[in-house]
Amino acid sequence: MAKTVEIAGAGLAGLCAAARFSQLGWKVTLHERAKDLRMFGAGIWLWESGLKTLSILGAYDQAVARARRIQEWRIVDSRGRTLMSRPTPDHDRMLLPPRADLYQALIDRCVANGVEIITSSIVTEVRPEGVLVTEAGERNADLVLIANGAYSVLREQILGTAWMDFGVEAGIRMMIGNRPDDPTDVITEYWNGPWRLLYNPCTEGENYIFLSAPVNDERARVLPVDRALWAEKFPAASDLIERFSEASRWDRLVNVRCRRWSQGKVAIIGDAAHAMPPNLGQAANTAFTNVMALALAADRAIDMPSALVGWEQQQRSLTNHVQWWSYLYGYVLNRWPKSIESLRSDVLSTMSKTQWFDEALNRGARHLPVG
């Protein structure tokens, strides 16, 4: 008889888990509180770890069909000086599809694998013995997964949260129209004090823009976007700024650290377990690799609670490392004193050329997923 898993939340982590467990022969039910499965249309960074996960799931071709193949990620300061250049050769790739394309590719794998997807399904409780409760009643399973995001209430039902840190940044995501002379394979991240403008080639027709600023800068977080503010901060990107879209999304950039990732037969995955700012573009990639390891551990489990503890012990160190570096990145960007901003440029330019920095920055991106 097939093992069963109940998943609360149909975001990227929940869909990845549903696709993988169903691929392994499990009976999977995926619960989504919204009435439709929808994803905001910004872009997403897929590093080697995430790309290999998608290949295993059979979702790779569809997910990246329109994606730009990125050759370099570089950081530029307000004087136009390149502070970091991170190449992405063929053995260490990064592709940048629209997030909605990735989302749909995972949905289609779930449907093809026979996953039961229940929308408008509000999960109200999880229990360590392997019970998920919705407004429609209780459901028993060999495994229950909490995948309903950084602000998960379900996480606290197993006392999972260690801390949440809202940091000092606000972020705005949007897609803008493409022009023929736009770079097609280089990501440029412009810095000016604690303000940031990130240009991402995405598809032949659109580019992805991410903006971040101190959360107390009211002009920086207003929607529609205050183009005059961003043009003042980044005159070198004025051609991009004049194309800023009205269809934007504003977010606080939050960190979540858990006391534990599981209790009994309940496990926490994705942003519910380890939300991090998008500074390294590794939140989804980290979720994917953790899900792959979880699926293997659970599929082989004789005792599920013990298998979940072992899974966390295997994966936690790398996840903590990626999350810490994402947090540190934001700290350097946002809290560096304005009076010595040139020193920040000098330090980052020097450090980014060292082997230690390269390995630490990219440890998660280069990780090979289990499976």
Side-chain angles (χ1 to χ4, degrees), residues 77-137:
D77 70 9
S78 57
R79 296 175 297 170
R81 178 182 176 187
T82 298
L83 309 183
M84 185 190 80
S85 174
R86 200 287 197 191
T88 57
D90 289 343
H91 66 278
D92 189 16
R93 297 168 296 164
M94 199 255 271
L95 274 71
L96 214 160
R99 185 177 291 258
D101 288 10
L102 170 61
Y103 193 61
Q104 191 61 52
L106 291 172
I107 291 171
D108 290 350
R109 291 319 305 158
C110 289
V111 171
N113 292 348
V115 173
E116 181 185 11
I117 301 175
I118 306 176
T119 55
S120 301
S121 179
I122 299 176
V123 179
T124 58
E125 185 181 355
V126 295
R127 298 180 197 146
E129 59 267 29
V131 176
L132 178 143
V133 183
T134 73
E135 292 180 338

Side-chain angles (χ1 to χ4, degrees), residues 23-39:
Q23 187 180 44
L24 294 174
W26 287 52
K27 184 178 184 298
V28 180
T29 304
L30 182 62
H31 300 266
E32 171 53 44
R33 66 180 295 119
K35 65 178 181 179
D36 300 303
L37 300 184
R38 291 184 294 177
M39 178 63 66

Side-chain angles (χ1 to χ4, degrees), residues 17-331:
R20 183 55 173 163
F21 276 94
S22 59
Q23 187 180 44
L24 294 174
W26 287 52
K27 184 178 184 298
V28 180
T29 304
L30 182 62
H31 300 266
E32 171 53 44
R33 66 180 295 119
K35 65 178 181 179
D36 300 303
L37 300 184
R38 291 184 294 177
M39 178 63 66
F40 178 75
I44 188 166
W45 292 14
L46 291 176
W47 295 97
E48 195 66 41
S49 57
L51 295 170
K52 283 187 165 58
T53 295
L54 294 173
S55 293
I56 295 167
L57 296 178
Y60 176 88
D61 288 342
Q62 182 179 350
V64 304
R66 298 196 298 151
R68 292 292 197 186
R69 169 69 170 87
I70 303 302
Q71 298 294 338
E72 180 192 10
W73 164 30
R74 61 190 182 101
I75 300 174
V76 178
D77 70 9
S78 57
R79 296 175 297 170
R81 178 182 176 187
T82 298
L83 309 183
M84 185 190 80
S85 174
R86 200 287 197 191
T88 57
D90 289 343
H91 66 278
D92 189 16
R93 297 168 296 164
M94 199 255 271
L95 274 71
L96 214 160
R99 185 177 291 258
D101 288 10
L102 170 61
Y103 193 61
Q104 191 61 52
L106 291 172
I107 291 171
D108 290 350
R109 291 319 305 158
C110 289
V111 171
N113 292 348
V115 173
E116 181 185 11
I117 301 175
I118 306 176
T119 55
S120 301
S121 179
I122 299 176
V123 179
T124 58
E125 185 181 355
V126 295
R127 298 180 197 146
E129 59 267 29
V131 176
L132 178 143
V133 183
T134 73
E135 292 180 338
E138 295 186 5
R139 301 173 69 98
N140 296 287
D142 295 294
L143 177 63
V144 172
L145 300 182
I146 298 171
N148 61 338
Y151 302 98
S152 174
V153 176
L154 299 176
R155 177 178 61 225
E156 270 310 278
Q157 294 185 2
I158 63 169
L159 300 179
T161 311
W163 54 263
M164 289 184 67
D165 179 8
F166 289 89
V168 295
E169 289 180 278
I172 294 176
R173 296 172 170 88
M174 72 183 79
M175 302 294 279
I176 65 171
N178 182 60
R179 288 180 178 170
D181 56 347
D182 287 342
T184 60
D185 59 5
V186 176
I187 291 170
T188 301
E189 184 168 348
Y190 300 92
W191 285 15
N192 183 352
W195 290 268
R196 166 174 45 174
L197 188 159
L198 180 62
Y199 164 80
N200 305 267
C202 191
T203 71
E204 289 187 5
E206 290 184 301
N207 299 312
Y208 166 40
I209 298 292
F210 175 74
L211 309 172
S212 70
V215 71
N216 59 1
D217 184 340
E218 294 184 3
R219 288 183 66 191
R221 69 172 188 261
V222 68
L223 292 178
V225 176
D226 185 338
R227 291 181 176 86
L229 169 68
W230 293 100
E232 172 191 329
K233 299 296 182 184
F234 301 103
S238 58
D239 179 58
L240 301 173
I241 294 166
E242 69 181 29
R243 286 179 268 161
F244 277 6
S245 169
E246 304 298 332
S248 309
R249 192 182 78 180
W250 179 92
D251 295 294
R252 288 292 298 274
L253 305 186
V254 64
N255 288 270
V256 172
R257 184 68 64 89
C258 282
R259 294 173 55 245
R260 59 189 176 199
W261 287 357
S262 70
Q263 184 181 24
K265 298 179 180 179
V266 176
I268 314 169
I269 60 173
D271 282 352
H274 46 72
M276 64 187 80
N279 296 322
L280 306 183
Q282 291 193 29
N285 296 271
T286 301
F288 289 171
T289 56
N290 285 341
V291 164
M292 296 297 287
L294 169 63
L296 184 63
D299 197 49
R300 294 176 175 176
I302 297 173
D303 176 69
M304 188 63 72
S306 297
L308 297 182
V309 170
W311 159 67
E312 180 176 351
Q313 291 173 344
Q314 177 189 41
Q315 297 297 116
R316 187 69 183 253
S317 176
L318 178 61
T319 299
N320 287 350
H321 173 88
V322 173
Q323 190 177 42
W324 168 245
W325 267 75
S326 180
Y327 186 83
L328 181 63
Y329 187 112
Y331 192 93

